[in-house]
Amino acid sequence: SGQVRVTTTMVNDEGQMIHIRNTSEPEPIHVQIYNALGLPRSPLKRVLSID
């Protein structure tokens, strides 16, 4: 397994479609690798879009 990107979709009270895309928490081995390489734990930012 590993980190994954997850998209959650919902409709608000105004009928707008909301999409939230986020990265899961890394496993401990991945945290060690990221730290060794000087990379952030979550390489991608949360994305929010409203249609």
Side-chain angles (χ1 to χ4, degrees), residues 27-45:
E27 296 177 350
I29 187 68
H30 297 129
V31 172
Q32 289 178 347
I33 293 168
Y34 293 154
N35 289 341
L37 296 173
L39 298 172
R41 291 179 61 157
S42 183
L44 301 172
K45 294 183 179 181

Side-chain angles (χ1 to χ4, degrees), residues 2-51:
Q3 273 186 295
V4 295
R5 290 287 282 175
V6 178
T7 303
T8 303
T9 303
M10 64 196 90
V11 178
N12 67 10
D13 294 341
E14 297 173 6
Q16 297 172 311
M17 188 72 73
I18 300 172
H19 306 278
I20 302 172
R21 189 146 172 84
N22 204 12
T23 305
S24 66
E25 288 293 319
E27 296 177 350
I29 187 68
H30 297 129
V31 172
Q32 289 178 347
I33 293 168
Y34 293 154
N35 289 341
L37 296 173
L39 298 172
R41 291 179 61 157
S42 183
L44 301 172
K45 294 183 179 181
R46 178 183 294 175
V47 176
L48 171 69
S49 64
I50 301 174
D51 298 335

